[in-house]
Amino acid sequence: MNTVALAVTDGMLHFELSMAYEVFGSAPAGLAGPWYNLVVCGPGAVRAGRFGLEPDHGLDRLPRADTVIVPGWADVDEEPPADLVDAVRTAHEAGARVASLCTGAFVLAAAGLLDGRRATTHWAHTRDLAARYPKVEVDPDVLYVDNGSVLTSAGKAAAMDLCLHLVRLDRGSSIANAVARRLVVPPHRDGGQAQFVTAPVPAPDNHPLAELFPWVIKRLNHPLTVEDLARRARMSSRHLGRHFRSATGTTPLQWLLTQRIRHAQELLETTDDSVETIAAASGMGTATTLRRHFNRTVGVPPDTYRRTFRSRTRSDPNAGLQHHQRP
C-alpha cells in the first residue's frame, strides 16, 4: 500500500500541487527500501496556474490508489468539475485515504466526504465553505484536521504540515523529519489542535530565546518552572512570556508541556520503556499525569499511540502505507 495519487484538473493551485509532488515524489537521502509510488491523475492536459501539466493517468485511476491528494482549487466561487468530484468520491468508497490541501476542501465537500466531519481550509474561505456546505463543521483556527480516512489542511504552508503528517503516520517521525530537512522546513508546528505533530516552529538563531530552547530540551526530565526559564534567559518572567508568544505563539508553560509530550511520543515509538519510566524521563512525574495530558493533547492514550506507531518506527520504519484511524 504505497501509491499516492494527485488528483488534478484545470484551475488547481500550482504551489500546493508542487509541494505535494516534492514530498511524495522524492525519497529522503539514505532511505533503505522503496518510497511512495506517486502518480498524477487528471482528465487530460491541465493548467495549474501558469503551468501546464500532462497527467500520468486519467481520473479513473484514483480508486486504485491508497492515498488521494486534492491540491488547492483556484476558483472557489465555481463548483468543481463533476468528473473530479465523482472520481474522488469513488476513490474514498474504494478505501482510499483522501486529503485536501488548502481550498481542495471544496472538492471533498462537493463529494460529500466532509458531511458530519470537522474540516478546515484557507482562512479566507472558511466562511464560504461553511455557508455552502452546512453539514461540514468548519474549523478556521487549525493547520489541518485528521479524520482518519479524510484529512483537510488550511492554506498554503499548512499543506506542507499535512503532507509531513501523512509521512509521519505512514513511516514514523524520523523519516518525516528527514523529509523536512531535505525541504528545509520545520518538521512540526503547533496548530492549536489535538494533532499528532505537536512541536512548534523553533526560533531563528538571532531570537532572544534561541539558546534557551535547546537548553530546555536537554532537561525535560527536570521539574522546570517559568522562573527557571526566565532566569536562564536572563530576563523577567513577563518579558519571557512576550518573547515566547512572538517565537511560538504560545506561553512558556504550554510550550514546555508540548515538548514533554513530544519527547514522550518519541520514547513510546522507539523504546520498550514503561509508561511510568517515560513519564519520569519526559518530566511528567507520574504515569497518571502523563496519560491525562497525553490523551488531551494527542487524542489517544499513550498505550494506543505506541501500538499505532511502534511497529513501524522500530521493526520496519520503511514499511508501506498504513491508514491511521483515530478512535
Side-chain angles (χ1 to χ4, degrees):
M1 297 178 62
N2 65 351
T3 299
V4 174
L6 299 182
V8 301
T9 190
D10 281 336
M12 289 293 176
L13 299 173
H14 66 272
F15 181 81
E16 290 80 354
L17 174 61
S18 301
M19 192 178 295
Y21 198 95
E22 279 295 319
V23 171
F24 298 103
S26 300
L31 177 71
W35 190 236
Y36 295 96
N37 173 33
L38 180 67
V39 294
V40 180
C41 303
V46 300
R47 300 288 300 180
R50 297 183 179 181
F51 303 97
L53 181 66
E54 189 69 40
D56 305 310
H57 304 277
L59 291 172
D60 57 354
R61 175 67 172 78
L62 293 184
R64 301 203 304 275
D66 302 297
T67 298
V68 172
I69 296 180
V70 182
W73 176 250
D75 193 354
V76 296
D77 294 328
E78 297 292 332
E79 289 296 322
D83 55 350
L84 175 63
V85 172
D86 291 342
V88 169
R89 183 191 301 112
T90 301
H92 184 258
E93 291 172 349
R97 176 177 59 181
V98 179
S100 66
L101 308 180
C102 192
T103 51
F106 282 82
V107 177
L108 271 59
L113 302 188
L114 302 183
D115 288 355
R117 287 189 167 108
R118 188 163 155 264
T120 193
T121 187
H122 192 289
W123 61 266
H125 303 291
T126 52
R127 290 186 178 179
D128 294 336
L129 183 65
R132 192 180 306 176
Y133 302 101
K135 294 182 180 180
V136 181
E137 181 186 346
V138 180
D139 190 337
D141 299 322
V142 295
L143 292 176
Y144 59 83
V145 176
D146 181 350
N147 288 301
S149 65
V150 178
L151 305 91
T152 54
S153 87
K156 301 301 178 183
M160 178 62 76
D161 293 297
L162 179 52
C163 289
L164 291 175
H165 175 65
L166 291 172
V167 174
R168 186 169 186 274
L169 290 175
D170 299 336
R171 305 300 179 93
S173 58
S174 62
I175 301 299
N177 289 346
V179 174
R181 285 194 296 271
R182 177 176 66 84
L183 298 176
V184 198
V185 298
H188 315 294
R189 294 199 298 164
D190 184 3
Q193 66 167 344
Q195 56 188 14
F196 282 83
V197 182
T198 54
V201 181
D205 292 340
N206 60 351
H207 193 276
L209 303 182
E211 295 182 2
L212 178 65
F213 289 160
W215 181 86
V216 173
I217 295 300
K218 293 178 181 178
R219 294 165 176 80
L220 290 175
N221 59 323
H222 295 284
L224 299 172
T225 66
V226 174
E227 289 72 23
D228 293 330
L229 273 59
R231 190 179 305 112
R232 178 67 186 182
R234 299 184 181 87
M235 62 181 66
S236 68
S237 298
R238 178 176 295 182
H239 282 134
L240 180 76
R242 290 174 180 170
H243 285 303
F244 257 91
R245 279 290 182 188
S246 172
T248 71
T250 190
T251 66
L253 282 180
Q254 184 58 49
W255 180 86
L256 181 58
L257 176 62
T258 297
Q259 305 316 305
R260 296 192 191 283
I261 294 295
R262 178 68 192 128
H263 187 49
Q265 286 178 293
E266 292 178 352
L267 294 176
L268 288 166
E269 291 181 24
T270 60
T271 75
D272 296 317
D273 294 346
S274 66
V275 175
E276 289 78 9
T277 300
I278 291 174
S282 59
M284 302 296 283
T286 68
T288 299
T289 301
L290 173 60
R291 287 191 174 96
R292 183 175 68 252
H293 288 293
F294 196 96
N295 200 0
R296 185 177 62 191
T297 302
V298 179
V300 294
D303 295 327
T304 301
Y305 182 90
R306 169 172 270 169
R307 287 194 298 270
T308 301
F309 289 102
R310 184 173 176 273
S311 62
R312 280 171 283 163
T313 55
R314 281 181 58 79
S315 63
D316 187 11
N318 300 316
L321 286 166
Q322 298 184 37
H323 291 183
H324 171 69
Q325 297 289 341
R326 299 193 66 168

